[in-house]
Amino acid sequence: MTEQDEKPPFLYVVVCAAGIAADVGKLITAAQEREWHVGVIATPLAMNGFFDTAAVEAQTGRPIRSAWRRPGDPRPFPEPDAVVVAPATFNTINKWAAGIADTLALGTLCEVSGLGVPIAVLPCVSDALAAHPAYNDSLIRLRGMGVRFGYPYAGAEGEEFAWERALDLVE
């Protein structure tokens, strides 16, 4: 195989509804600088003003996916070489660990979990929610599935969200 025949690596970025999602372009830029092609899958709530969808589509050159495709529709993204969930909310982490696939984002996460694709998660969960016993159980289950976690972000003053850390976890 020649260098021209090699396909560039493709990264799925799953975006959840958290205020920090407004900065998801930082992750996309970092991924593109590392020569990843990027496709964004957002939870339905995240599509409601949590980030600039037009800017993300312009940055990736691809539409954001948040709804299931109809039978017979072509797949808009190639298969992923890695997946990053950032920001990952309490709701998404718990539903994913329980195998609930009621949105495209969750269905995608449930599916890729069984494919051996590297998955990194940057949780964005308050300390109060992180103390809930279901959350810890979910982290244990997902880690047991090979999911890699970055340091949790609770939104404390002066705390920065480590977007690039997700890429370090999947490379």
Side-chain angles (χ1 to χ4, degrees):
M1 176 183 281
T2 67
E3 197 171 308
Q4 288 180 338
D5 294 332
E6 291 181 25
K7 70 177 183 89
F10 200 86
L11 177 71
Y12 285 10
V13 173
V14 177
V15 180
C16 301
I20 196 71
D23 292 332
V24 71
K26 292 178 181 181
L27 172 59
I28 296 166
T29 296
Q32 290 171 332
E33 287 172 353
R34 295 185 190 194
E35 300 187 12
W36 288 91
H37 287 212
V38 179
V40 174
I41 300 171
T43 64
L45 287 175
M47 294 293 290
N48 292 326
F50 281 86
F51 66 102
D52 185 339
T53 57
V56 166
E57 287 180 343
Q59 189 176 10
T60 64
R62 298 176 184 277
I64 296 167
R65 298 204 52 216
S66 68
W68 302 100
R69 61 187 173 87
R70 292 184 306 256
D73 284 353
R75 288 184 164 286
F77 298 162
E79 294 297 320
D81 295 293
V83 177
V84 168
V85 188
T89 60
F90 177 83
N91 189 52
T92 294
I93 290 169
N94 287 326
K95 282 183 155 186
W96 175 20
I100 297 170
D102 61 353
T103 66
L104 176 64
L106 285 162
T108 300
L109 293 173
C110 287
E111 184 176 18
V112 298
S113 299
L115 297 176
V117 173
I119 303 170
V121 177
L122 298 181
C124 184
V125 177
S126 71
D127 291 339
L129 288 174
H132 193 286
Y135 181 70
N136 189 54
D137 291 347
S138 294
L139 295 179
I140 291 168
R141 175 172 276 184
L142 292 171
R143 282 187 180 111
M145 295 164 43
V147 175
R148 304 160 189 176
F149 284 86
Y151 188 78
Y153 174 83
E157 189 172 328
E159 182 182 13
E160 293 199 28
F161 195 74
W163 293 102
E164 290 186 33
R165 175 69 178 129
L167 299 172
D168 296 339
L169 291 168
V170 297
E171 292 182 326

